[in-house]
């Protein structure tokens, strides 16, 4: 009797399962309601899936990245050393290329200039904030003397202030104690370039009739003995005239970036070189 | 501090001031290491040593400066003397106090240099000098003084010398 009941129940269960599968297979029942019921389950299961995948992946990564690759650390160290060495070499090569470019410009200027020039390297700057000077590695032994002009391919740098046997000090045109006779290229008006408090320069004693405007190029006039005529000094900024002043003056932006000078040329003689 | 260490610092001062310090200059203004050295010498070792240090360091600076010789000697000697006198009022100091005193000393130093220029050459406007040189320099020196105090004096535990003992004895 019991066996019959069990067989009967088995049959019912089997029948219900087949029926359920059959019903679920119906296209009409593939639509939203049933799928909607499955969502929470999918959500929970997929969350677990993700968790397990993450753990498995992490373990795999840990295995592959830290445990199984004993040699990678050594290789990494070696590659880092190689990279540092190559970066260093690249910087040195870039420096050499830049130095070559600067020296080539200096050499070109030295060859083409009508006057005698002496190349020198900048070895230091003024220790004080009150003066704008440079130290160069050429002195009286090399033919450098006080008051000689100092230039770069970009333009006028300054004048030799002190000349020791092996080193010299150059007063920049941006120093407030510096004065260089100049003229405006376009209008031919003459003036005097001197340094300002803020490390720039200005041109003073321009005639009231001077038609100087912003952007005009200022050159050496050749009236002071240090520089030949026509070397670029800078470009004019705002031109001003105070009431009752007899002259105009203008701000001047030097052509040379004094914070980046590494090599200069000393105008040893204004005589034409042979 | 050992005497030879001090001599080495003095000798390295000018090369560092004229080369490396340009890399950290702001608007062509850089900290004045000579003033800092003289200040700390005067403050910790007394006004006579401050005066002497100012004289020696000033002479070295004058050799490499575009200004007239002896200007730095005079201003730094005064700075050394004043820092020594200031040091008499304090048994010990803090970074904030150091920064304040360095600021005052630097500003005074700047005004002295300005006065000299005005006396000899003239033509410099005081407001322009304050704006472009004296104030930025004093602020920069103040910051550098704080750093030197924090990194050097505070950590090395340098004590002020007593009036009855000679400073900078070699050990």
């Amino acid at each position: 009797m019991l066996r019959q009941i069990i067989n009967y129940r088995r049959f019912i269960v089997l029948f219900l399962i087949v029926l359920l599968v059959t019903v679920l297979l119906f296209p009409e029942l593939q639509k939203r309601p049933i799928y909607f019921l499955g969502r929470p389950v999918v959500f929970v299961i997929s969350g677990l899936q993700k968790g397990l995948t993450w753990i498995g992946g992490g373990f795999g990564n840990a295995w592959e990245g830290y445990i199984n690759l004993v040699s990678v650390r050594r290789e990494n160290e070696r590659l880092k050393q190689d990279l540092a060495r190559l970066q260093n070499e690249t910087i040195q090569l870039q420096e050499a290329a830049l130095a070559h470019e600067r020296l080539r410009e200096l050499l070109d200027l030295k060859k083409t200039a009508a006057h005698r020039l002496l190349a020198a390297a900048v070895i230091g700057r003024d220790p004080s904030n009150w003066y704008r000077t440079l130290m160069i590695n050429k002195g009286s032994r090399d033919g450098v003397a006080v008051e000689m002009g100092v230039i770069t391919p970009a333009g006028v740098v300054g004048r030799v202030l002190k000349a020791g046997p092996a080193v010299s000090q150059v007063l920049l045109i941006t120093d407030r104690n510096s004065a260089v006779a100049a003229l405006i290229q376009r209008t031919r008006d003459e003036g005097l370039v001197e340094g300002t408090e803020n490390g720039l320069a200005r041109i003073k004693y321009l005639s009231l009739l001077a038609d100087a405007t912003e952007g005009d190029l200022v050159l050496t006039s050749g009236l002071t003995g240090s520089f030949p005529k026509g070397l670029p000094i800078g470009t004019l900024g705002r031109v001003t005239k105070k009431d009752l002043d007899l002259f105009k003056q203008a701000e001047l932006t030097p052509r040379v970036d004094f914070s980046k000078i590494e090599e200069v040329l000393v105008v040893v003689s204004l005589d034409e070189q042979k | 501090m050992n005497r030879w260490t001090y001599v080495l610092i003095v000798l390295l001062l000018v090369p560092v001031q004229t080369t490396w310090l340009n890399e950290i200059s702001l608007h062509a203004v850089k900290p004045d290491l000579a003033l800092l050295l003289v200040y700390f010498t005067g403050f910790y070792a007394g006004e006579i040593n401050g005066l002497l240090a100012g004289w020696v360091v000033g002479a070295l600076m004058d050799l490499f400066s575009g200004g007239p010789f002896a200007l730095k000697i005079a201003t730094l000697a005064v700075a050394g003397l004043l820092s020594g006198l200031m040091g008499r009022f304090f048994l010990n100091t803090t970074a904030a106090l150091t920064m304040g005193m360095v600021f005052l000393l630097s500003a005074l130093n700047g005004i002295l240099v300005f006065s000299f220029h005005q006396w000899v050459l003239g033509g410099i406007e005081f407001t322009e000098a304050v704006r472009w040189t004296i104030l930025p320099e004093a602020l920069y020196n103040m910051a550098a003084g704080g750093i030197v105090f924090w990194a050097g004096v505070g950590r090395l535990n340098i004590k002020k010398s007593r009036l009855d003992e000679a400073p900078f004895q070699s050990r």
Side-chain angles (χ1 to χ4, degrees), chain B residues 34-105:
Chain B
L35 183 82
L36 293 179
L37 182 68
V38 168
Y39 163 76
F40 283 112
T41 305
F43 191 87
Y44 283 92
E47 61 267 21
I48 299 301
N49 286 292
L51 189 75
L52 287 172
W55 206 98
V56 173
V57 174
L60 285 174
M61 296 284 276
D62 272 335
L63 286 174
F64 290 86
S65 173
F69 191 78
L71 178 60
K72 272 280 180 188
I73 293 177
T75 55
L76 286 178
V78 169
L81 181 71
L82 286 178
S83 58
L85 292 174
M86 282 196 284
R88 279 177 174 262
F89 294 98
F90 303 97
L91 186 63
N92 268 310
T93 184
T94 61
L97 186 67
T98 300
M99 288 168 77
M101 287 196 287
V102 168
F103 179 84
L104 285 177
L105 206 62

Side-chain angles (χ1 to χ4, degrees), chain B residues 3-4 6 9 27 35 42 44 49 72 109 115 138 141 160:
Chain B
R3 184 178 293 167
W4 295 110
Y6 189 82
I9 289 173
H27 295 285
L35 183 82
Y44 283 92
N49 286 292
K72 272 280 180 188
N109 193 55
S115 306
N141 284 341
K160 276 168 65 78

Side-chain angles (χ1 to χ4, degrees), chain B:
Chain B
M1 185 188 286
N2 185 297
R3 184 178 293 167
W4 295 110
T5 310
Y6 189 82
V7 170
L8 187 67
I9 289 173
V10 170
L11 291 176
L12 285 175
L13 190 85
V14 173
V16 171
Q17 181 80 30
T18 54
T19 54
W20 292 350
L21 242 59
N22 296 300
E23 304 299 323
I24 59 164
S25 67
L26 296 171
H27 295 285
V29 172
K30 56 197 169 194
D32 189 347
L33 293 185
L35 183 82
L36 293 179
L37 182 68
V38 168
Y39 163 76
F40 283 112
T41 305
F43 191 87
Y44 283 92
E47 61 267 21
I48 299 301
N49 286 292
L51 189 75
L52 287 172
W55 206 98
V56 173
V57 174
L60 285 174
M61 296 284 276
D62 272 335
L63 286 174
F64 290 86
S65 173
F69 191 78
L71 178 60
K72 272 280 180 188
I73 293 177
T75 55
L76 286 178
V78 169
L81 181 71
L82 286 178
S83 58
L85 292 174
M86 282 196 284
R88 279 177 174 262
F89 294 98
F90 303 97
L91 186 63
N92 268 310
T93 184
T94 61
L97 186 67
T98 300
M99 288 168 77
M101 287 196 287
V102 168
F103 179 84
L104 285 177
L105 206 62
S106 178
L108 183 69
N109 193 55
I111 290 167
L112 279 177
V113 176
F114 167 79
S115 306
F116 175 84
H117 274 278
Q118 202 62 2
W119 176 47
V120 175
L121 302 167
I124 307 174
E125 286 184 31
F126 182 67
T127 50
E128 289 289 295
V130 169
R131 182 182 169 197
W132 292 108
T133 310
I134 296 173
L135 188 61
E137 187 181 50
L139 289 170
Y140 217 160
N141 284 341
M142 182 179 81
I147 292 168
V148 170
F149 179 83
W150 175 79
V153 180
R155 283 167 186 262
L156 294 173
N157 200 24
I158 294 173
K159 298 286 183 196
K160 276 168 65 78
S161 61
R162 283 162 40 200
L163 293 175
D164 57 349
E165 74 178 354
F168 301 125
Q169 288 177 334
S170 53
R171 302 189 204 291

Side-chain angles (χ1 to χ4, degrees), chain A residues 123-133 135 161-162 169 171 176-177 197-199 202 242, chain B residues 17-19 22 28-30 61-62 64-68 71 110 113 117 121 124 128 132 137:
Chain A
I123 55 170
R125 284 157 209 278
D126 202 288
S128 159
N129 290 315
W130 286 87
Y131 309 102
R132 317 256 181 237
T133 63
M135 295 290 287
L161 183 69
K162 298 175 191 170
Q169 196 164 27
L171 186 72
R176 59 171 76 86
N177 300 312
E197 300 300 323
N198 58 356
R202 66 178 157 235
K242 289 178 187 167
Chain B
Q17 181 80 30
T18 54
T19 54
N22 296 300
V29 172
K30 56 197 169 194
M61 296 284 276
D62 272 335
F64 290 86
S65 173
L71 178 60
V113 176
H117 274 278
L121 302 167
I124 307 174
E128 289 289 295
W132 292 108
E137 187 181 50

Side-chain angles (χ1 to χ4, degrees), chain A residues 65-84:
Chain A
Y66 297 99
I67 301 166
N68 197 29
L69 297 176
V70 179
S71 63
V72 166
R73 190 174 167 188
R74 283 188 214 127
E75 191 181 357
N76 191 35
E77 286 297 319
R78 189 179 55 77
L79 288 172
K80 275 183 181 171
Q81 284 174 1
D82 286 351
L83 182 65

Side-chain angles (χ1 to χ4, degrees), chain A residues 120-149:
Chain A
V122 175
I123 55 170
R125 284 157 209 278
D126 202 288
S128 159
N129 290 315
W130 286 87
Y131 309 102
R132 317 256 181 237
T133 63
L134 296 175
M135 295 290 287
I136 57 172
N137 69 343
K138 292 286 161 65
S140 53
R141 278 201 303 240
D142 308 290
V144 178
V146 174
E147 288 295 313
M148 282 180 173

